[in-house]
Structures are given as C-alpha cells and as structure tokens.
Amino acid sequence: MKISIRLERKTLGAALSGALLVLLAGVPAWAQSVNKGSALDQALASVSEVSGIKLPDKNRVLVVERKRSISDEHAIYKLGAPWSPFQATGFVAEKGKPFTVYLIIDPDDVCPNLDIINLGKYNWDDQVGQTLKPGKNEITPTKSGIMYIANPHQQKRPPVVYFADSPMMPLYRHGKTTREEWKTMLKKENPYGMVEIVTQRTMFTLTAEKFKKTPPNIEKLCETLEEIMSVYARLLGLSEKNPPPNDIPQNVMHIIEVDAGYMYATNCRIAFHRDVIHEILDYQNNRKSGWGLWHEIGHMHQVQEYKFNDMSEVTVNIFSLEAQAHFKNRARIDSPEMRTAIQKHLALPRNKRDYHKIGDVFIKLAMFWQLRLAFGEDFYPKLHRYNREHNPEQEDRQQYFIQLSSRISGYDLRPFFEAWGLSVSPQTEDAISKLKLRKLTQQIWRNLNFSQVTSKGRVGVAPSKY
C-alpha cells in the first residue's frame, strides 16, 4: 500500500485542546459512530477544523473503540481461536483509487490501524494494513476491500476518524440504524457488493445478493445472535460485571459468507458457504435448528485445556447443547438410538470399556452433558472460571479434567469417569483423595434423559471450599 501523510499540526492541536474528546469519552465502548447530540456537533467541528471541510458529513465520523490484541485475549480467556479485533467502518477501498481519512487523537497516544480486507473474493488473507497518523492520511490502496479499524491500544480518550471520500457500503448497526436508513442504504449504488450487520458482540459480512434474496428480520436476527453469545458467555462464567479474566471479551464474533468450504471456524472468523447462508439469516432457524451456527460459534468459545485425545469435535458441542437447551429444543443426543448405543458401551466388561475407542462423537459428548445434567447450570461456569483464574500447568489434559470436575462438583467423580472407560492415574487418585470430597452415590452415568435440563441438576454442586 502506498501511503503519503500530511499533518495539519496547528489546527490539529487546536482541535485537541477543545471539549470534543471529553464529551466522546462517555460514548459506550461498542458504539460504532457518534450519531446525535452535542458530541456529534463537537466531532464535526473538530473534523472541520482539522480537514478544512466546512460541512463534514456526520455519517462519515467514527469513534474508535479499543479491542484487545488477539494474543492478549487468547491469554486471558483461553478460547478455541482468536476472535476478530476489527471495528466495522462501513467504508470500502477500490484498488488504485486514492482516498483520504483524518485521525483526531491526543498527542503521544498510540494510533490505530486501518486494515483493508478483500472479502469480495472470500480470501481473508488478501489484506493490507497501515498505522494511521494524526491529521490527514492520503492513501492509495493496492487492494480492493472492506475497511476496518484495529485498535488494541488504551488511549487517553477515544480517537475519531473521518472518512472524507471513501465509498460507503450498507452497514446496519443494531440499536442505532433505523429501518428507513437501512432501506435507503440498500437502494444506493454498492459497487463492492457486500453488506455488513453489526451487533455489540458480532459482525456479519455477506454479499448483498444473498441478503436481498433472503431478506431477514434483521432486528430478530441481531437479537438472536446476541442471545447466543450471552448463553455461551454464561457457560464460560463470563459477565460484564466481572473484571478480567471473567469479563466479556472485547473482540467480536465475525461471521462471513464464503464460496469455498462448507462451515468452519478459524482465526478471527467463522464462515458459511453461500449455499447455506440463507439458514444463518433465518433467526427462527437459529433458535430451533441452528446446530451449524451453534457449533461453529462453539468452536470459537471452546476451552483448550479440555481437548484431550482428539476431542475438538466433542467438547465444542457442550456449547451447542447449551444453546439447544436454552431455546427449549430437544437435545440432539436425546434419541432411542443414542440411548441404545450408550447402554451398549456401558455394558461392556470393564477391561474392554475404552472411552477413546468410541467412534461416535455424540456418544462421547453424552459423558460431558451428563455432568451438566447432574450438577446443573453452574457446573461448567465454575469449572471454566477456576481454570482461567488458576492457570494450572498440566501435562495430561484427561487427568486434569477428571481432577477439576471432581473439585468443582464437590464429589469424587472417579466412579463416573471409570464407568465411561476413562482411566484414572495414580497421581489423580492421590490428588482427589487429598480433596476429601463427597462420595458419589448416584450412578449419574446412567442418566440418559438428555433433554431434562434443570438449573440445579439431578445431584447439584456440593458446597465446596475451593
């Protein structure tokens, strides 16, 4: 990318000395733009002073929010893959066509990045980026793509970016964009052919063609996406009221439409093929039979410490089942065929009962869900919180999970795991014995009523000192 920078130092300093950034400091962290009141007036006045533009367009003002770096977020929350660190702008770049942006920021603060990602060709790696400079930034992009802001820095006050002349794309901001505004956006020329939907914790990028072919109930879609994220946050023991490592991640869940692959989760995004994107746009499907969406978002929340022995496609579905239960649907593993298969496994002689030789990931999943059935909705949140807070070092993830589950439940769970065919090491035997836990008197491994999910559970978490 060829970038030339020209700073208007005198006018920039004057703008920063005003009341603008004091007012903007009260803007909610996830707000994508200033849109009303004196804060907008101040923002436009400062943009005008820095840029020399007499009447700046209010729709081109962006208040920059902070999102932790993906490495910091991963270290704090230990989730399955890094989430997206990008803030949507609603602007696109055309290869070789210069554009200008202005950055208003306190002196000596670290400046945010502007990234251009070529999602029009569904290649996430086809991107370029550049750190912005205070004042005027004249940029000639070497790629076409959607523009995003990445800002892992803690500035004194939120920076402001003004996009002077960049082409716009339809961007729906949940809770901010009105229906009339959205209809107007969709009618305007959209040469890049993409639309974007942003909620507090998600970002959904897809082709305008697919959006218009299956126009969703956009409010209900946004509410459902937020609801799923809330369900998963609770399962992880996360809350907006908590300090790190138990608060809500700052980065977002980025959902994109692709023309290759089917459904997958990977660094910074989850992707769905264009042939199934209509299902993801259907909020009712996402509440009744949205296993694909629940599953892929689950991968982004999946905790690494419990993925022992090729368990990636097993433990992810603790999240899928939690979403399914939340929306009051029958559990996917709740079927006569599944019950028969599990009973057959549990009936094997002890010396031939090996959990790792089970070929069906859903039979394996049943063991993890039985812990939820037995100990209720607080079991996994407490387990996840303990894991994050204590950051234990362990060589054997299987033995760690057996020990941690026992500690959190308040019960000696060796009989449960042995019934499923998971071996307990001498070191684990010793560690659990030292905890002096309650004896497990119920055969919870025989509970095959997988849709009977209750808040307290069949046994309930025992009072614990831990």
Side-chain angles (χ1 to χ4, degrees):
M1 173 184 291
K2 180 181 177 181
I3 298 182
S4 59
I5 307 295
R6 198 153 51 95
L7 303 184
E8 304 290 345
R9 294 188 182 277
K10 183 177 179 180
T11 54
L12 176 61
L16 291 172
S17 66
L20 164 65
L21 294 177
V22 176
L23 290 167
L24 290 179
V27 175
W30 73 278
Q32 303 285 329
S33 68
V34 184
N35 62 0
K36 62 181 179 179
S38 59
L40 174 61
D41 296 334
Q42 293 287 341
L44 293 176
S46 287
V47 168
S48 179
E49 189 169 5
V50 171
S51 67
I53 300 171
K54 291 184 178 180
L55 296 173
D57 185 346
K58 65 180 181 179
N59 295 313
R60 292 179 170 274
V61 176
L62 181 80
V63 176
V64 177
E65 59 190 80
R66 183 200 179 217
K67 297 181 186 294
R68 294 187 193 98
S69 70
I70 56 178
S71 58
D72 286 347
E73 289 252 304
H74 184 72
I76 292 171
Y77 304 105
K78 304 182 179 182
L79 301 182
W83 297 8
S84 173
F86 296 120
Q87 177 181 358
T89 69
F91 297 95
V92 297
E94 298 180 57
K95 180 179 178 180
K97 186 174 182 179
F99 64 89
T100 303
V101 299
Y102 294 88
L103 173 64
I104 302 172
I105 189 170
D106 271 358
D108 303 322
D109 266 349
V110 183
C111 296
N113 264 41
L114 179 71
D115 290 273
I116 301 171
I117 305 179
N118 191 6
L119 290 180
K121 292 187 177 179
Y122 314 103
N123 181 358
W124 185 271
D125 298 319
D126 190 7
Q127 61 178 277
V128 291
Q130 177 67 35
T131 300
L132 294 175
K133 301 295 182 182
K136 187 175 186 178
N137 293 252
E138 295 179 326
I139 302 171
T140 300
T142 58
K143 300 283 185 184
S144 295
I146 301 174
M147 285 194 268
Y148 297 98
I149 294 291
N151 182 41
H153 314 296
Q154 187 70 61
Q155 291 96 351
K156 299 182 185 72
R157 301 174 183 87
V160 175
V161 176
Y162 183 73
F163 294 83
D165 50 11
S166 305
M168 302 178 77
M169 64 179 285
L171 171 60
Y172 183 90
R173 299 181 176 100
H174 180 49
K176 300 181 74 66
T177 304
T178 67
R179 291 183 181 180
E180 292 71 24
E181 288 171 336
W182 183 237
K183 289 179 181 178
T184 300
M185 289 182 201
L186 293 175
K187 290 178 182 177
K188 289 183 178 179
E189 184 180 1
N190 182 10
Y192 196 64
M194 306 289 284
V195 302
E196 205 149 59
I197 303 165
V198 173
T199 72
Q200 183 173 357
R201 288 176 282 191
T202 70
M203 186 158 56
F204 192 177
T205 308
L206 68 157
T207 60
E209 175 190 0
K210 285 296 181 182
F211 183 91
K212 291 178 179 179
K213 188 174 182 179
T214 315
N217 182 324
I218 197 164
E219 277 296 312
K220 293 291 186 181
L221 173 62
C222 290
E223 290 168 4
T224 299
L225 291 173
E226 281 295 303
E227 195 168 346
I228 294 169
M229 294 295 289
S230 294
V231 170
Y232 287 11
R234 191 195 184 284
L235 190 64
L236 284 173
L238 303 176
S239 170
E240 292 177 344
K241 300 177 181 179
N242 297 331
N246 298 318
D247 61 339
I248 299 296
Q250 294 176 356
N251 293 333
V252 299
M253 194 65 51
H254 196 169
I255 305 167
I256 63 172
E257 174 189 338
V258 294
D259 63 354
Y262 183 56
M263 300 180 185
Y264 62 86
T266 187
N267 290 348
C268 301
R269 79 275 192 192
I270 59 176
F272 296 92
H273 192 273
R274 58 174 53 174
D275 289 345
V276 296
I277 206 70
H278 63 281
E279 297 178 10
I280 311 302
L281 285 170
D282 184 350
Y283 84 92
Q284 292 180 319
N285 177 75
N286 293 337
R287 301 177 75 87
K288 294 179 180 178
S289 56
W291 189 270
L293 181 64
W294 304 335
H295 177 90
E296 301 305 340
I297 295 180
H299 271 307
M300 303 297 281
H301 287 78
Q302 194 171 11
V303 179
Q304 297 296 314
E305 279 79 1
Y306 322 141
K307 287 166 60 176
F308 50 86
N309 295 75
D310 299 321
M311 297 294 284
S312 180
E313 294 301 323
V314 177
T315 60
V316 58
N317 284 325
I318 300 171
F319 292 91
S320 309
L321 285 178
E322 191 69 28
Q324 200 163 41
H326 170 80
F327 291 122
K328 303 188 184 309
N329 299 302
R330 186 183 184 90
R332 180 166 180 171
I333 58 175
D334 189 6
S335 69
E337 296 78 12
M338 186 63 63
R339 283 188 283 273
T340 298
I342 294 171
Q343 288 170 333
K344 184 178 179 180
H345 171 74
L346 295 176
L348 291 171
R350 181 61 64 88
N351 61 348
K352 294 184 178 180
R353 201 182 314 156
D354 187 342
Y355 179 85
H356 297 299
K357 290 184 178 179
I358 299 173
D360 191 321
V361 295
F362 291 103
I363 296 177
K364 286 185 172 182
L365 172 63
M367 182 188 76
F368 289 90
W369 196 240
Q370 283 178 335
L371 293 171
R372 168 70 169 88
L373 297 175
F375 302 113
E377 65 183 8
D378 288 337
F379 172 76
Y380 279 113
K382 287 184 176 181
L383 184 144
H384 291 139
R385 281 198 298 269
Y386 186 96
N387 179 64
R388 286 192 302 273
E389 290 169 358
H390 292 80
N391 198 26
E393 294 183 5
Q394 76 286 331
E395 295 181 1
D396 190 322
R397 292 183 176 184
Q398 174 181 313
Q399 299 303 317
Y400 172 64
F401 186 76
I402 293 172
Q403 293 179 34
L404 184 56
S405 297
S406 297
R407 178 187 290 272
I408 297 304
S409 70
Y411 290 88
D412 182 346
L413 294 183
R414 286 176 290 182
F416 171 75
F417 290 108
E418 288 171 344
W420 270 97
L422 278 179
S423 61
V424 179
S425 71
Q427 292 80 6
T428 295
E429 294 271 4
D430 183 59
I432 292 178
S433 296
K434 289 179 179 178
L435 293 176
K436 301 186 184 305
L437 302 172
R438 293 188 181 189
K439 183 179 180 180
L440 185 66
T441 58
Q442 298 186 45
Q443 295 184 342
I444 61 174
W445 54 91
R446 298 197 181 278
N447 182 5
L448 306 182
N449 297 314
F450 295 114
S451 295
Q452 294 183 7
V453 180
T454 61
S455 60
K456 295 296 183 181
R458 181 178 177 182
V459 178
V461 172
S464 173
K465 304 174 185 177
Y466 313 105

